[in-house]
Amino acid sequence: MKKRILVVEDEPSILANIVYSLETEGFEPQGCATGEQALASFAASPPDLVILDVGLPDLNGFDLCRTWRQQSDVPVIFLTARGQEVDRVVGLEIGADDYLVKPFSPRELSARVRAILRRCRAPMTPGRLTGHPSTPANTPFQLLEDRAQILYFGSTLPLSATEFRILRVLCQHPGRLYSRSQLMDQAWTEPETALERTVDAHIKSLRAKLRAVRPDLDPIETRRGLGYSLKEHG
Ligand code: CA
């Protein structure tokens, strides 16, 4: 079955290029030029992935993403104008899965789309597929690998795909120190496209979600200048 891709971009030539390229690659793209159109299309038929321009004439792409995030974990790739570095971090904090800075090649975009859909289909390491939760020793976490969910003190954490992968890596070896570049290598399929400080942004967002469950605890330890590790308990 063809994967439905919602493409939201107000620049007609860019939109046409993306739609054409995705069709050529065997996807089923749905193009929208405004945020309102995108909201209607998303509600009528939820897509498998969204490509979202940040600067739209009617709505802000980040606001659109936040709206969808309340009800859906659909992967989102943001398109940003050159030099919108601050926006990159904001976008990652609200649960974007990837970024492309204009101008980009349609081939590069298709490669990102395929990579994200691949890891959404198989968010766990092959061979570790299990219907049973695995509980990292001495931590309050439970990994439900086949559902790509992580429980914290029994509560399901509302994680983005990237947050899930980061926390999953940390949970595999509590106490082990991971540098930012190691986390990028393990949690991103194309680590060279990620910035080290985007790891910080994801960790910040993860911590907020963990605090929502247990405000008194901070199970992720920051090792200044080194990276992050999951604290070992008891
Ligand atoms: Ca635009």
Side-chain angles (χ1 to χ4, degrees):
M1 212 171 73
K2 287 187 178 181
K3 293 287 186 185
R4 290 193 68 253
I5 318 274
L6 179 59
V7 186
V8 193
E9 167 63 65
D10 61 309
E11 179 61 48
S13 63
I14 298 179
L15 179 61
N17 263 336
I18 295 173
V19 166
Y20 174 79
S21 167
L22 290 172
E23 277 173 350
T24 308
E25 299 269 346
F27 296 110
E28 189 182 319
Q30 170 76 43
C32 292
T34 68
E36 287 297 339
Q37 277 179 29
L39 282 170
S41 171
F42 192 102
S45 175
D48 296 299
L49 184 145
V50 178
I51 296 169
L52 183 54
D53 182 29
V54 172
L56 294 168
D58 54 344
L59 293 167
N60 179 298
F62 293 139
D63 292 337
L64 267 182
C65 183
R66 277 193 199 97
T67 302
W68 289 327
R69 273 285 169 269
Q70 289 170 9
Q71 57 182 55
S72 164
D73 283 330
V74 65
V76 174
I77 300 176
F78 275 115
L79 307 178
T80 70
R82 185 189 291 276
Q84 287 179 319
E85 288 297 317
V86 174
D87 287 349
R88 291 170 67 99
V89 175
V90 171
L92 286 164
E93 282 175 355
I94 63 174
D97 293 88
D98 207 345
Y99 273 90
L100 271 181
V101 179
K102 298 175 188 176
F104 53 84
S105 76
R107 179 179 295 186
E108 186 182 4
L109 177 61
S110 296
R112 302 284 183 94
V113 167
R114 274 197 305 275
I116 289 176
L117 289 175
R118 206 164 44 231
R119 66 194 187 212
C120 289
R121 196 175 58 232
M124 62 298 284
T125 309
R128 298 196 64 219
L129 272 168
T130 165
H132 307 292
S134 65
T135 306
N138 302 323
T139 76
F141 295 96
Q142 269 189 311
L143 265 67
L144 305 174
E145 301 250 5
D146 55 344
R147 296 192 211 173
Q149 287 178 347
I150 297 179
L151 308 187
Y152 180 53
F153 289 103
S155 297
T156 304
L157 293 166
L159 304 174
S160 73
T162 303
E163 288 162 2
F164 168 77
R165 289 191 302 271
I166 290 177
L167 188 53
R168 182 171 165 275
V169 170
L170 290 174
C171 281
Q172 280 167 353
H173 297 283
R176 173 169 160 185
L177 173 68
Y178 292 91
S179 70
R180 290 172 177 78
S181 60
Q182 282 172 333
L183 284 176
M184 289 197 309
D185 285 345
Q186 304 214 29
W188 272 260
T189 52
E190 297 172 82
E192 71 277 9
T193 65
L195 299 170
E196 291 215 347
R197 60 198 173 97
T198 64
V199 174
D200 298 341
H202 283 293
I203 291 280
K204 185 178 167 197
S205 166
L206 251 178
R207 279 191 166 127
K209 291 174 181 179
L210 298 172
R211 260 200 314 277
V213 177
R214 285 291 299 265
D216 53 325
L217 295 178
D218 180 10
I220 298 176
E221 187 172 7
T222 304
R223 309 279 293 276
R224 271 185 84 87
L226 296 172
Y228 297 97
S229 63
L230 195 70
K231 286 177 189 166
E232 290 178 287
H233 288 253

